[in-house]
Amino acid sequence: MENNTVSFYFNLTMFVKIGHYHYPAFVFCLLLYSFIVSANFVIILVILRERTLHEPMYMFIALLSVNSLYGSAGFFPRFLMDLLSDSHLISRPACFTQIYVIYTYASYELTILSIMAYDRYVAVCHPLHYHRKMTSKMVFNLAAVAWVFPAFGLIACISLSARLPLCGNEIQKVFCANWNVVKLSCVTTVANNIVGMLLTIATVFLPLFYVLYTYLRIVIVCWKKSAEFKGKVLQSCLPHMVSFVIYSITGFCDIALSRYDVQDINPFVAVILSLEFVVIPPVLNPLVYGLKLPEIRRHILRMLPSYKQ
């Protein structure tokens, strides 16, 4: 029976560290999930309804909100169930499905932020050619690449992990993570490490350096322009820069935690760090774009009954 448990189930051990805070944590996370769904749905609805927002920048913002809903759906329902449960076992198929959803969510976030950076780069550095370059077909192709490439790359990576014979079943997280599973392997994981490194370079470091490059070019162009021009550029680029910085910090925290022995970290801090990148971006993205971009903010306010009166 024990061998079957090790073979077919993983135990998410970090829930023990939450202790007597299970019920308050459940209520708080349920409200948080409700806010994520509502806020991102409002952003998507506003952009789809208003024809004036059918522009590349706003369509990419809608994609970002769709990704937030996707990633949250892959994390919160199972997490909320585990908060109320005494047992935190998860089957292997369910674990690898969760890994796939959360990791594709993480990859999509970076690839979408990258194509948003390209959109801002063209708009600021090549304004006369913007409508020629950012056609509906180009927007569709960029979105397709942003979604398709990480999906296939992660299928290859997770397939390798799913075939590993494991000598344990304890995952020191509140959700399934690929590296934590690989560490349980009874055999060498050189192939997993190589594929994982190549995938990390393609889906993390290349988008990261590309975003930094585009904003360096934008800064160079703005340097010689008027204060009014700089203000307009800052207004359109600031939400994207905030989203990019937030996601980079939360992603780094999760990667660092995966490579570190959580036994040496304060239990409360370990849980918070493990939740950051699946909670903070979906919460802050609709706030950042809804509050900072006047076009979206105005249409959201028009939806409120008090504003109409």
Side-chain angles (χ1 to χ4, degrees):
M1 183 67 184
E2 186 176 338
N3 289 338
N4 289 335
T5 302
V6 172
S7 299
F8 296 107
Y9 291 91
F10 293 105
N11 186 20
L12 303 173
T13 61
M14 200 175 283
F15 279 99
V16 177
K17 299 179 184 297
I18 299 176
H20 300 293
Y21 298 102
H22 282 203
Y23 291 109
F26 173 82
V27 174
F28 175 75
C29 290
L30 180 61
L31 293 174
L32 201 62
Y33 184 41
S34 301
F35 173 80
I36 289 172
V37 172
S38 303
N40 283 285
F41 182 74
V42 166
I43 295 290
I44 296 168
L45 183 63
V46 166
I47 292 173
L48 292 180
R49 282 182 54 184
E50 302 298 332
R51 293 186 63 86
T52 56
L53 300 181
H54 291 181
E55 298 178 11
M57 180 176 73
Y58 298 110
M59 299 309 293
F60 293 144
I61 291 172
L63 272 183
L64 210 57
S65 288
V66 169
N67 190 47
S68 293
L69 294 177
Y70 168 72
S72 300
F75 167 71
F76 272 100
R78 171 75 202 195
F79 179 68
L80 291 171
M81 288 173 54
D82 280 328
L83 282 174
L84 296 180
S85 176
D86 294 328
S87 173
H88 305 113
L89 295 177
I90 181 171
S91 67
R92 285 188 66 144
C95 184
F96 284 111
T97 300
Q98 187 180 58
I99 290 173
Y100 179 78
V101 173
I102 291 178
Y103 277 51
T104 48
Y105 148 76
S107 301
Y108 293 155
E109 194 83 3
L110 272 176
T111 52
I112 294 170
L113 288 171
S114 298
I115 61 177
M116 291 174 74
Y118 173 74
D119 174 70
R120 291 301 83 205
Y121 164 74
V122 175
V124 175
C125 300
H126 304 282
L128 298 178
H129 303 286
Y130 180 76
H131 292 291
R132 182 175 62 83
K133 289 187 174 184
M134 296 303 294
T135 61
S136 298
K137 183 178 180 180
M138 175 59 76
V139 171
F140 177 81
N141 289 339
L142 288 173
V145 171
W147 286 84
V148 172
F149 174 71
F152 283 103
L154 281 162
I155 286 175
C157 184
I158 295 172
S159 296
L160 286 174
S161 301
R163 293 179 181 145
L164 289 173
L166 305 179
C167 290
N169 72 332
E170 293 190 350
I171 296 177
Q172 295 180 335
K173 264 182 174 289
V174 291
F175 59 88
C176 288
N178 189 62
W179 178 246
N180 295 77
V181 173
V182 171
K183 288 193 294 186
L184 299 174
S185 173
C186 303
V187 297
T188 180
T189 58
V190 174
N192 298 74
N193 293 336
I194 292 174
V195 172
M197 185 177 298
L198 292 175
L199 190 62
T200 301
I201 292 172
T203 60
V204 177
F205 290 106
L206 289 181
L208 176 67
F209 289 129
Y210 180 73
V211 172
L212 294 176
Y213 167 77
T214 55
Y215 272 93
L216 177 62
R217 294 292 301 272
I218 290 173
V219 169
I220 293 172
V221 169
C222 291
W223 192 263
K224 301 177 182 179
K225 300 291 184 177
S226 65
E228 182 182 359
F229 180 84
K230 292 176 183 176
K232 290 180 179 179
V233 171
L234 183 63
Q235 187 180 62
S236 66
C237 293
L238 183 61
H240 178 265
M241 288 189 289
V242 171
S243 295
F244 177 72
V245 170
I246 289 171
Y247 184 74
S248 297
I249 293 172
T250 56
F252 173 79
C253 289
D254 182 72
I255 292 172
L257 184 66
S258 296
R259 305 286 169 164
Y260 199 77
D261 187 0
V262 295
Q263 302 295 335
D264 299 331
I265 307 176
N266 179 281
F268 181 75
V269 173
V271 171
I272 295 298
L273 290 177
S274 69
L275 292 176
E276 278 188 334
F277 93 107
V278 290
V279 173
I280 294 179
V283 169
L284 291 186
N285 282 344
L287 292 177
V288 168
Y289 290 106
L291 296 176
K292 293 301 294 181
L293 291 178
E295 286 295 318
I296 294 180
R297 184 174 66 244
R298 185 168 67 250
H299 289 299
I300 290 175
L301 290 174
R302 284 173 56 187
M303 295 172 64
L304 301 176
S306 60
Y307 183 80
K308 292 179 181 179
Q309 294 174 0

